[in-house]
Amino acid sequence: MDQQRFLQQLQIVVDPSQGDVNAATAVLQKEFYTKPESLAFLIQVIISHNNADLKQLAATQARSLVPKYWTKLPESHRPQARSQLLQATLAETSTNVRNNAARVISAIAKIDLEDGEWQDLPPFLLKAASGQKQEERAVGVYLLFSILEIMGDGFVDKFPILFDLFGKTIKDPDSFEVRINTMLALSRMAMNIEADENEAAVKSFQGLFPSLVAVLNEAINQGDEARTLQAFEVFQTLLGCDSQLMTKHFQDLVVYMNQTAADRSKAEDTRIQAISFLMQCLQYRRLRIQGMRIGEKLTTTMLEIVTELGDVSPEEDDMTPARSALSLLDIMAQQLPSSQIIVPLLNNLKSYVGHEDPSYRKAGILALGYCVEGAPEFLSTQMKEILPVVLHLLEDPVLNVREAALQTTARLADELPEDLGKAHEKLMPALFRNLSTAMQVYKGETDGPNIDIMKGGTSAIDALVDGMDEENAVIYLDKLVPLLQKLFQHPDYRIKALSAGAIGSFASTVEKAYEPYLTDSMNAMQFYLTKKESEEEMDLRASVTDAMGEMAVAVGPERFKEYVRPLMQASEEALHLDHSKLKESTYILWGSLAKVYEADFAPFLEGAINGLYACLDQEEADVEVDLGQKAADLLGKEVIVAGKKVKVASATDDDIVQSEENGEIEDVDIDDEDDWDDLTAVTAIALEKEIAMEVIGDLVGNTGSAFLPYFEKTITKILPECEHTYEGVRKATLTTLHRAYAALWDVTEEAGQMQKWEPGLPLQVQTTSEVSKLGEILMTTTLGVWVDETDRMTVAEISKSIAANLKHTGPALLSHDPNHLQKIVQTISSLISQKHPCQEEEFSAEEDSDLDLTEYDWLVIDTAMDIIAGLATALGSSFSELWKIFEKPVLKYASGNEALERTTAVGVLAEVVAGMGSAITPLTASLLQLLLKRLGDEDPQVKSNAAYAIGRLVEKSEAHDIVRKNYPSILSKLESLLQTKDARCADNAAGCVSRMIVKHRDAVPTDQVLEGLVNILPLKEDYEENEPIYGMIVQMYKWEDPTIRRLTPRLVPVFQSVMGEPDDQLKDETREQLQELVGYLQKMGVGT
């Protein structure tokens, strides 16, 4: 081997002025790194060369070659190489070279020690780590760290000796390097300690823990950024280790991190790292944080930090303590109960929004917006206090405060569409003023507060309109759509995209009323439908595609047909532009058009389905990863790379290693493939697959029999994705499979191949072989994922799908295997008792089991309880036996402390009653007692559900005496509910009264009750209750009731309204009955 040529290539890599780096790299790869001798030469460079940069490069390259070539070097040469390398490393003056050389030694040690060689290394290192010279101690400890890093589990028997040594070196009086290296070594020991197997090691570690904090504090006070980052990384690592190691000092550590984050005298990066640690605490120690009741303190601290934003936008990319604080508030709202985050936030909000300093006003309103996603249900109950604050700040004299208020309005409208939609009369004028004023004063600037106001105002209008009722949104069409169309002409592509989104939302909400604006909107947007020259052009193209899909749904098939073919052509081209967002928008467009055209989408189905197949066929394994110092803020975090979960272990620019796959030199520290196994991040391809899978569900669900030619292949294609590493794909796949089953059921039933299902097992109505086969596949696959799934949202979505199909297709899914029903019951039981894998915190054993639930926690239970309702619907009277299993937990939640719990449980009771029918009779007394109590609940949604449940119980139960006896109590509580506008209370109260009249007319004072009932007609929200209401009215006319006849003049306009648009106000049977009644009244000349 030409050593001079080898050295020359290395020198070029270190100093590009000496030659072509790419050419030198190619020579190294092809001529030298293919030979074992290259490792020996690199080790010699580390030992004897005088250039530190060259030695560092040699060390990083040698480290990657050791596993490949060390044992291929002559056995007689290896002892000398080890000895010289060890001595050279101890004598090295450059820290970077020492550390990289130490990693070469640890790589060699991993091989030799496992082979029974180099047995004198451990005692040598112990001696060096406790030597007289601080440089030797630093190297000795770092070498121990390096070896523990790659083979710590092999040193567990030496932990007592190491703890004794590190107890001294963590307090080394002369060298901070020794102290920080000890900290690193202890973190690697921690990764191999199991509390239940090594109690002594836990106690030893706990005893040293305060010294670890002292080292971190020292690094912070010295202003040493690199070592501070190392120390923070240690604490991030410890969060992933056995919880007992930090339990004793955890609360003090959290308080320290909170204080560090708040200290403005500290470096920004240090404060950001402290907040990042608190974020990780919520991931790894959520229940411990909750049990400490420290949420209020964290909230007030983060609020204060957010005031540091000043005039800067929270949306900019550069990370600051203020932006980190907002992110932490967001995570806290998701991970902690509202009492620990939302309540203290609202308690502080008044002082912040009333503060004379605009930074405080901005901080308060932004914090509110960042918290809404985690606690929408609770915030919905606080809208009377929140809305005035939002309206006040939308009129703030300071532009960036108004811009923050606009952002929060958009976030609130996204998460609480119904609540914000009801406030449109107050909100929309304020949003319009902000947007139109910014447009008027715009003078061509490319950034600044006016641009931010335009973006924020457009986003807020978009979100608000999306949650409004059609009749309310129509009011603003003439005023706002022309303004948005004008805004679409703005030169800023981001503003164009936002305005396109708002136009699409308007169309989606007002539907047919958008037709007069369709041509102008399409003409303006079509120009951008083929743009592809830049990233921002394709981003805009994606937004335009989304808007066009919404307009198609709005105006309907006939009005939109002229745009379909060119739109489909453009969308198919978009798939080849390698732009993830544009591809996702294309898939969504296909789903929208399928919804509009249903079976008439058939001409485009083949192209669409092939495009979606191509997406699912994409490989995710070959991803090039490039980390470096820019990725330092990812330390301790998890990312998804190539569809694999990857934990970032190193983000330094010191390591240059050779990739054996492609031979390139890259800035990645990957010791072996096992490091890629523990990840939670997502590739763009995985996200595309998630969207594509959802759209396949749209196609199969909307195109009916037209999809049958693709059905079998589609099922085969999507089934493997149930095991995808990314939970979003798993979730979308299971949801789509359930939609496919429901779609096949509908097509088969509509074709007359199956009769309408009947409740109960064994099946009274047999399914076709195709439906049966898919049902068996579906249940086997669903249970294979659902039972052991650890992602909460995936579990919740699967539960929703199971419940929906049980209600839609009946008991057929339960008939394939007796074990299926058993597994469903067992899984529901584990979910509602919080013992499912997705609810088991890794470190929850030490926590209080009675801690409050977050809204995300409750969603998992809520959706599981919906399956109970689905089972009752599917099994009918035979559900009685299963109810014995679920009765106690459901009734416990129905009497719980939290309104969310009571709301869900009472709603489930209503559906159980409806499903079981007369079999509910034995439970009448006990259920009625509970439901009457809930009818007087403080929460309007609970009362509303209770009214519905009582109505169903009255309707289904045959315990007539018990029911009639309670009529006076029921009616007295329903009287006020008929006047309550919140939570559909009046609608459900009217339905309940109607059922009561039909069942026991003589027990209801109809001359008193009907007046109040008619006053609230026609219903505007809960159309389901129209069935009992108009069924009762028709029956009262048949009974020739004098009160109903007297009310006829008031009822006739109601009949006309309810039989008009929207046409989903009445079911077909009820509509026919009402039409017959109206015909009779007209014939008799009554009320006309």
Side-chain angles (χ1 to χ4, degrees):
M1 187 175 70
D2 188 342
Q3 294 186 357
Q4 188 58 40
R5 178 171 165 77
F6 190 0
L7 182 63
Q8 184 181 27
Q9 307 311 309
L10 291 172
Q11 288 171 330
I12 292 172
V13 172
V14 170
D15 182 7
S17 66
Q18 296 187 28
D20 186 333
V21 173
N22 290 333
T25 300
V27 171
L28 288 170
Q29 294 160 0
K30 295 174 183 177
E31 293 187 24
F32 298 105
Y33 289 163
T34 56
K35 302 172 184 176
E37 295 93 324
S38 63
L39 174 59
F41 182 72
L42 289 169
I43 292 174
Q44 194 57 43
V45 171
I46 300 169
I47 293 169
S48 59
H49 208 281
N50 57 8
N51 185 309
D53 290 337
L54 195 62
K55 288 196 287 186
Q56 182 174 334
L57 175 62
T60 59
Q61 298 302 284
R63 179 186 174 195
S64 67
L65 294 176
V66 165
K68 193 174 183 180
Y69 294 140
W70 175 251
T71 56
K72 295 180 180 179
L73 295 180
E75 188 173 350
S76 59
H77 292 178
R78 293 199 300 252
Q80 183 180 7
R82 289 191 305 236
S83 175
Q84 291 180 347
L85 181 60
L86 193 56
Q87 293 300 328
T89 303
L90 289 171
E92 178 58 54
T93 58
S94 166
T95 301
N96 283 340
V97 174
R98 278 205 310 266
N99 290 348
N100 281 289
R103 290 182 179 276
V104 178
I105 292 171
S106 66
I108 294 171
K110 177 176 173 61
I111 296 171
D112 285 357
L113 290 174
E114 290 177 351
D115 290 343
E117 299 182 24
W118 209 2
Q119 294 300 305
D120 58 343
L121 177 64
F124 177 86
L125 294 180
L126 291 171
K127 182 178 179 181
S130 54
Q132 295 297 313
K133 295 180 179 180
Q134 65 182 45
E135 292 82 4
E136 286 188 9
R137 296 198 300 276
V139 176
V141 174
Y142 194 85
L143 277 165
L144 286 169
F145 155 66
S146 299
I147 292 173
L148 287 167
E149 186 176 36
I150 63 173
M151 52 185 307
D153 55 346
F155 276 68
V156 172
D157 61 331
K158 295 182 173 60
F159 275 12
I161 299 172
L162 290 173
F163 273 123
D164 184 59
L165 169 66
F166 292 152
K168 299 180 180 68
T169 58
I170 193 68
K171 299 177 181 178
D172 191 290
D174 305 315
S175 171
F176 185 65
E177 185 179 357
V178 172
R179 297 194 289 277
I180 196 76
N181 287 352
T182 302
M183 194 176 182
L184 295 172
L186 283 167
S187 73
R188 289 309 179 261
M189 289 176 67
M191 295 173 69
N192 293 282
I193 296 176
E194 298 291 339
D196 55 352
E197 297 176 3
N198 199 340
E199 187 176 343
V202 172
K203 289 182 177 179
S204 296
F205 193 92
Q206 289 176 341
L208 294 177
F209 193 85
S211 297
L212 298 179
V213 180
V215 174
L216 169 62
N217 196 52
E218 185 178 3
I220 292 172
N221 291 334
Q222 287 182 1
D224 189 329
E225 291 185 13
R227 284 175 173 164
T228 297
L229 185 61
Q230 281 183 308
F232 271 115
E233 182 184 354
V234 166
F235 286 103
Q236 299 271 13
T237 299
L238 293 179
L239 284 172
C241 300
D242 193 294
S243 64
Q244 293 298 317
L245 297 175
M246 290 203 297
T247 294
K248 187 176 178 181
H249 303 284
F250 185 69
Q251 183 159 348
D252 292 337
L253 180 63
V254 171
V255 170
Y256 170 78
M257 292 292 184
N258 188 49
Q259 292 170 343
T260 300
D263 189 347
R264 298 191 185 193
S265 68
K266 298 288 193 290
E268 279 203 351
D269 285 346
T270 295
R271 299 174 67 201
I272 292 168
Q273 286 296 325
I275 296 172
S276 176
F277 176 80
L278 293 173
M279 292 179 190
Q280 294 297 304
C281 285
L282 286 163
Q283 176 180 347
Y284 290 101
R285 297 287 195 281
R286 178 174 71 95
L287 294 182
R288 184 68 194 276
I289 291 286
Q290 186 177 342
M292 287 160 49
R293 305 291 195 273
I294 200 171
E296 181 173 356
K297 181 61 179 174
L298 295 177
T299 300
T300 54
T301 299
M302 294 308 123
L303 267 172
E304 183 65 33
I305 294 173
V306 177
T307 64
E308 298 173 36
L309 267 177
D311 294 338
V312 180
S313 169
E315 301 299 319
E316 291 184 13
D317 293 334
D318 293 339
M319 190 52 66
T320 65
R323 293 194 187 96
S324 294
L326 283 170
S327 296
L328 179 57
L329 287 169
D330 182 7
I331 294 171
M332 286 172 64
Q334 297 177 41
Q335 301 290 350
L336 296 179
S338 296
S339 59
Q340 292 197 36
I341 163 73
I342 305 300
V343 171
L345 171 65
L346 295 178
N347 288 341
N348 282 274
L349 192 60
K350 186 174 181 180
S351 63
Y352 269 69
V353 300
H355 204 286
E356 62 180 13
D357 185 343
S359 295
Y360 280 80
R361 303 198 296 275
K362 178 177 179 178
I365 196 66
L366 278 175
L368 175 64
Y370 272 75
C371 288
V372 67
E373 183 183 1
E377 296 289 344
F378 180 80
L379 283 169
S380 176
T381 67
Q382 308 298 309
M383 284 308 298
K384 289 181 180 178
E385 287 73 35
I386 292 172
L387 189 59
V389 169
V390 174
L391 290 168
H392 174 68
L393 293 185
L394 284 172
E395 306 292 349
D396 197 276
V398 178
L399 275 177
N400 69 66
V401 176
R402 294 208 304 275
E403 195 265 333
L406 289 167
Q407 282 192 39
T408 293
T409 301
R411 289 173 180 265
L412 287 167
D414 280 336
E415 301 298 329
L416 301 168
E418 189 172 325
D419 294 290
L420 271 287
K422 289 178 180 177
H424 67 91
E425 291 179 339
K426 295 178 179 178
L427 281 168
M428 194 61 86
L431 302 183
F432 177 80
R433 280 194 298 273
N434 274 282
L435 178 58
S436 59
T437 301
M439 291 173 67
Q440 289 168 10
V441 300
Y442 170 68
K443 296 180 180 178
E445 66 269 30
T446 57
D447 55 25
N450 280 319
I451 296 292
D452 291 339
I453 289 286
M454 280 188 253
K455 292 177 181 178
T458 308
S459 297
I461 289 171
D462 182 347
L464 181 61
V465 168
D466 211 28
M468 289 171 62
D469 292 334
E470 176 186 353
E471 61 188 41
N472 294 327
V474 167
I475 300 169
Y476 304 102
L477 268 177
D478 290 339
K479 189 174 186 179
L480 275 174
V481 171
L483 185 73
L484 292 169
Q485 288 176 335
K486 179 181 179 182
L487 191 63
F488 187 74
Q489 307 305 319
H490 194 282
D492 186 307
Y493 272 38
R494 176 62 181 151
I495 290 178
K496 285 181 185 291
L498 290 170
S499 61
I503 289 170
S505 290
F506 252 113
S508 178
T509 300
V510 302
E511 297 182 339
K512 296 290 185 182
Y514 194 79
E515 287 191 18
Y517 306 92
L518 178 67
T519 301
D520 287 345
S521 297
M522 290 297 294
N523 287 344
M525 292 185 191
Q526 278 182 314
F527 177 74
Y528 298 96
L529 197 57
T530 56
K531 289 289 184 179
K532 56 185 177 182
E533 301 305 318
S534 66
E535 192 75 15
E536 65 175 5
E537 281 189 353
M538 287 192 284
D539 282 340
L540 174 57
R541 179 172 174 174
S543 297
V544 164
T545 301
D546 289 338
M548 289 182 173
E550 290 188 283
M551 286 189 276
V553 174
V555 301
E558 187 62 29
R559 183 68 178 83
F560 198 78
K561 65 180 181 180
E562 64 181 284
Y563 304 107
V564 174
R565 192 162 295 279
L567 190 52
M568 287 299 296
Q569 290 172 348
S571 70
E572 289 179 15
E573 181 210 25
L575 296 183
H576 306 291
L577 296 178
D578 196 26
H579 188 278
S580 290
K581 183 179 177 182
L582 182 54
K583 284 199 277 188
E584 290 170 13
S585 293
T586 296
Y587 302 147
I588 293 170
L589 171 70
W590 293 345
S592 297
L593 292 177
K595 182 178 179 181
V596 174
Y597 289 94
E598 299 179 340
D600 291 335
F601 189 69
F604 305 104
L605 258 181
E606 183 174 1
I609 202 66
N610 286 336
L612 294 164
Y613 287 168
C615 176
L616 298 183
D617 288 339
Q618 292 179 99
E619 293 291 335
E620 298 179 68
D622 300 323
V623 175
E624 190 176 307
V625 185
D626 185 13
L627 300 180
Q629 197 56 47
K630 293 179 181 178
D633 59 346
L634 293 176
L635 286 171
K637 297 182 180 179
E638 293 176 334
V639 293
I640 289 181
V641 180
K644 294 184 177 181
K645 297 181 178 180
V646 180
K647 188 172 185 178
V648 179
S650 175
T652 66
D653 289 325
D654 298 336
D655 297 338
I656 306 177
V657 300
Q658 179 190 4
S659 167
E660 294 183 16
E661 286 77 10
N662 56 23
E664 294 181 2
I665 295 177
E666 52 183 64
D667 293 337
V668 187
D669 184 10
I670 303 174
D671 292 328
D672 59 58
E673 293 181 1
D674 292 340
D675 292 339
W676 294 80
D677 291 338
D678 299 319
L679 271 183
T680 60
V682 187
T683 61
I685 292 176
L687 292 173
E688 286 176 26
K689 286 188 176 183
E690 180 182 12
I691 300 296
M693 192 67 74
E694 291 172 353
V695 172
I696 289 174
D698 290 335
L699 296 186
V700 71
N702 287 304
T703 57
S705 59
F707 197 86
L708 289 179
Y710 314 97
F711 199 94
E712 186 174 351
K713 183 178 179 181
T714 298
I715 299 300
T716 304
K717 179 74 70 174
I718 68 178
L719 270 174
E721 302 298 340
C722 291
E723 299 179 357
H724 198 280
T725 54
Y726 170 44
E727 63 274 6
V729 174
R730 295 197 300 277
K731 178 175 63 179
T733 304
L734 265 300
T735 302
T736 292
L737 281 170
H738 275 269
R739 292 185 69 181
Y741 179 78
L744 182 61
W745 184 282
D746 289 342
V747 168
T748 306
E749 199 171 71
E750 289 166 7
Q753 296 174 293
M754 291 191 315
Q755 295 178 334
K756 173 67 178 174
W757 61 270
E758 296 288 341
L761 287 175
L763 294 182
Q764 298 181 45
V765 176
Q766 295 302 314
T767 60
T768 64
S769 59
E770 291 84 358
V771 170
S772 179
K773 180 181 177 182
L774 179 58
E776 187 170 3
I777 292 171
L778 175 62
M779 287 310 298
T780 302
T781 305
T782 297
L783 293 172
V785 176
W786 185 50
V787 171
D788 299 313
E789 176 62 55
T790 57
D791 179 67
R792 285 183 293 176
M793 299 310 294
T794 301
V795 169
E797 285 300 322
I798 294 173
S799 296
K800 284 183 185 177
S801 295
I802 295 172
N805 257 331
L806 286 172
K807 294 174 186 179
H808 184 68
T809 65
L813 282 175
L814 309 173
S815 66
H816 305 291
D817 185 335
N819 291 327
H820 288 171
L821 180 56
Q822 183 181 355
K823 279 190 177 182
I824 290 173
V825 171
Q826 289 172 346
T827 306
I828 295 171
S829 297
S830 69
L831 285 166
I832 61 180
S833 60
Q834 301 176 60
K835 295 178 180 178
H836 187 276
C838 76
Q839 297 162 307
E840 292 179 351
E841 298 282 338
E842 186 176 353
F843 310 105
S844 62
E846 67 200 56
E847 316 301 349
D848 181 358
S849 61
D850 293 328
L851 292 174
D852 294 338
L853 295 170
T854 67
E855 291 188 19
Y856 279 168
D857 292 331
W858 180 250
L859 180 62
V860 176
I861 299 171
D862 179 294
T863 51
M865 290 175 71
D866 196 28
I867 303 177
I868 297 175
L871 288 171
T873 302
L875 296 175
S877 60
S878 62
F879 179 72
S880 301
E881 289 302 309
L882 289 181
W883 177 244
K884 295 175 183 177
I885 298 173
F886 301 126
E887 181 176 17
K888 185 176 179 180
V890 172
L891 295 184
K892 179 183 176 182
Y893 282 124
S895 300
N897 294 325
E898 296 295 327
L900 266 180
E901 298 176 9
R902 301 194 301 275
T903 296
T904 297
V906 173
V908 168
L909 285 174
E911 293 195 69
V912 166
V913 170
M916 288 177 63
S918 61
I920 201 69
T921 300
L923 303 171
T924 301
S926 59
L927 289 181
L928 202 50
Q929 182 181 2
L930 171 67
L931 293 172
L932 272 169
K933 188 174 182 180
R934 295 283 70 88
L935 197 56
D937 199 280
E938 62 185 20
D939 184 83
Q941 188 62 61
V942 177
K943 289 192 286 191
S944 181
N945 285 5
Y948 176 66
I950 289 174
R952 296 301 257 174
L953 186 60
V954 167
E955 179 184 26
K956 301 296 182 182
S957 175
E958 294 180 358
H960 304 307
D961 291 342
I962 296 174
V963 170
R964 288 171 63 94
K965 178 182 175 182
N966 284 277
Y967 262 39
S969 298
I970 299 171
L971 289 169
S972 66
K973 293 187 177 185
L974 290 177
E975 185 177 359
S976 61
L977 216 56
L978 282 168
Q979 312 303 319
T980 304
K981 296 182 179 179
D982 295 334
R984 304 182 179 183
C985 283
D987 298 16
N988 280 323
C992 183
V993 169
S994 299
R995 290 184 172 99
M996 291 172 71
I997 292 172
V998 170
K999 195 64 179 278
H1000 300 291
R1001 174 192 175 197
D1002 60 324
V1004 180
T1006 53
D1007 56 333
Q1008 301 172 33
V1009 171
L1010 285 175
E1011 185 83 24
L1013 190 152
V1014 172
N1015 284 340
I1016 68 167
L1017 299 180
L1019 302 184
K1020 297 297 185 183
E1021 295 182 297
D1022 195 347
Y1023 294 153
E1024 184 180 340
E1025 292 307 280
N1026 280 336
E1027 185 177 1
I1029 290 170
Y1030 293 105
M1032 177 273 294
I1033 290 174
V1034 169
Q1035 185 60 53
M1036 291 288 277
Y1037 274 105
K1038 290 180 179 179
W1039 285 335
E1040 298 184 352
D1041 182 86
T1043 304
I1044 205 74
R1045 285 182 169 276
R1046 177 172 54 82
L1047 293 170
T1048 299
R1050 291 168 55 190
L1051 283 170
V1052 169
V1054 171
F1055 297 156
Q1056 293 171 343
S1057 174
V1058 81
M1059 289 191 294
E1061 294 289 339
D1063 57 11
D1064 60 346
Q1065 293 182 80
L1066 296 173
K1067 291 184 177 179
D1068 291 343
E1069 184 180 352
T1070 307
R1071 182 181 298 276
E1072 290 173 7
Q1073 291 177 351
L1074 205 53
Q1075 287 172 340
E1076 185 178 340
L1077 172 61
V1078 170
Y1080 168 77
L1081 293 175
Q1082 289 174 342
K1083 182 178 179 181
M1084 300 299 294
V1086 180
T1088 58

